[in-house]
Amino acid sequence: MPFYPGDYLADTVHLSALEHGVYLMLNLHYWRHEGLPPEDAKLARISRVPLDQWMEIRPTLAEFFEPGWRHKRIEAELTTTKEKYQKRAAAGRQGGLASGQAKQKQTNAQAMLQHEASNGKAQLNQPQPQPQSHKEKSQSEARTPADVSDEERFWACLNGLVAKGVSRARCMQLLELQSGDFMEANRVLDLAEQAQNSGAYLGKVIRNLQQSSRASPPGANPHVPAWVNEKRAAGIAVDREGKHWRCQGYLLNDTGDEVGF
């Protein structure tokens, strides 16, 4: 509580020592609790004097207060103190927010630099794509239009796989095993292109087709994997679902491996 000795002495020069003590106790309680109770018994306890003694000095002390024991000077000091506190608190929040934003920006910048450094290092470790010849580029671009025939798509896929190290003979072997069905061959070649090891994937499909052609059950479809014919011959339903097969609740690829549910 702010205390101004000059103002206090000027206002209380007429008080006795007891009244000085009581007045100070009332002021301290007022400042701490932002007011005084109206009951005389409570005011006596706050003043640390007996009730009868309080009643004797009450009229003198009441002159410093407005009705309801309100003290105009202390109310003004309380208001000023609250305003200063609120301003300091707001400034502290703003400062904390600015500091937090600055730290966050620094953290984001460091993370971005680390991310870019990591990407740059990863790009250096990756094999760089070899430039395509004009002929290969033309063939690759020719694969996307909707009016390209299945046969043209086959040759374009074949060239793409050859560029990845898959032998041309393997692709032709696939086409032969599928009885010249370019659509089915393209489906397999597309999957081979997407596989991590295109040559291994294509070889596995060809081996399955070879087994199917050597021991195909009566009525077997030569254009589907051997395991599909075997399941169907055993009375188990196998249906095409996109690029995979649905069998007994599982999603399988052309080699019969589970890839989902």
Side-chain angles (χ1 to χ4, degrees):
M1 181 182 74
F3 183 72
Y4 306 97
D7 293 344
Y8 178 82
L9 292 174
D11 293 339
T12 61
V13 67
H14 61 290
L15 297 182
S16 66
L18 174 64
E19 292 169 339
H20 273 293
V22 170
Y23 184 46
L24 286 173
M25 294 302 298
L26 292 174
N27 284 348
L28 293 174
H29 183 93
Y30 198 112
W31 179 263
R32 185 174 182 181
H33 299 281
E34 300 186 11
L36 291 172
E39 298 85 358
D40 287 312
K42 291 182 179 180
L43 292 172
R45 285 197 296 271
I46 292 171
S47 303
R48 308 294 194 273
V49 295
L51 180 58
D52 58 345
Q53 198 170 22
W54 161 255
M55 297 304 296
E56 290 178 6
I57 61 176
R58 183 182 189 280
T60 302
L61 295 170
E63 295 175 357
F64 295 99
F65 295 88
E66 296 179 348
W69 292 95
R70 309 306 298 176
H71 197 292
K72 185 176 180 180
R73 178 68 177 268
I74 298 178
E75 288 286 348
E77 294 291 349
L78 283 171
T79 300
T80 301
T81 301
K82 287 180 181 178
E83 291 176 351
K84 289 181 179 179
Y85 171 80
Q86 291 172 353
K87 289 180 180 179
R88 286 196 300 268
R93 286 193 296 270
Q94 290 292 342
L97 180 61
S99 177
Q101 290 175 341
K103 290 180 180 178
Q104 185 63 43
K105 288 181 179 178
Q106 183 178 5
T107 301
N108 292 342
Q110 291 174 347
M112 184 177 295
L113 288 174
Q114 292 174 355
H115 179 69
E116 291 177 353
S118 177
N119 285 345
K121 186 176 180 180
Q123 290 175 358
L124 288 175
N125 293 332
Q126 290 179 352
Q128 298 300 314
Q130 298 299 321
Q132 290 182 318
S133 67
H134 177 72
K135 180 179 179 181
E136 291 175 342
K137 185 176 180 181
S138 298
Q139 290 173 338
S140 176
E141 292 174 349
R143 293 173 54 192
T144 55
D147 58 347
V148 174
S149 67
D150 291 331
E151 182 176 356
E152 290 173 331
R153 284 194 67 245
F154 173 81
W155 295 114
C157 288
L158 182 148
N159 288 330
L161 289 172
V162 169
K164 289 186 175 184
V166 178
S167 70
R168 183 184 184 89
R170 294 294 267 176
C171 297
M172 297 305 299
Q173 187 181 13
L174 171 70
L175 181 63
E176 182 180 355
L177 287 170
Q178 292 187 321
S179 303
D181 189 332
F182 287 106
M183 181 180 294
E184 283 296 318
N186 290 339
R187 184 180 58 80
V188 176
L189 293 184
D190 286 340
L191 292 173
E193 281 190 320
Q194 298 170 17
Q196 186 174 3
N197 189 326
S198 301
Y201 178 87
L202 186 58
K204 193 170 185 179
V205 173
I206 288 175
R207 285 193 298 273
N208 286 339
L209 291 174
Q210 288 173 332
Q211 293 173 1
S212 175
S213 63
R214 284 198 297 267
S216 295
N221 185 348
H223 303 310
V224 301
W227 69 268
V228 174
N229 283 321
E230 292 172 1
K231 293 286 187 182
R232 289 174 175 174
I236 300 174
V238 182
D239 299 311
R240 169 66 72 185
E241 188 168 314
K243 294 181 178 181
H244 300 97
W245 302 89
R246 175 68 63 181
C247 178
Q248 295 180 313
Y250 293 94
L251 199 61
L252 310 173
N253 60 20
D254 283 340
T255 60
D257 298 325
E258 293 181 10
V259 294
F261 294 95

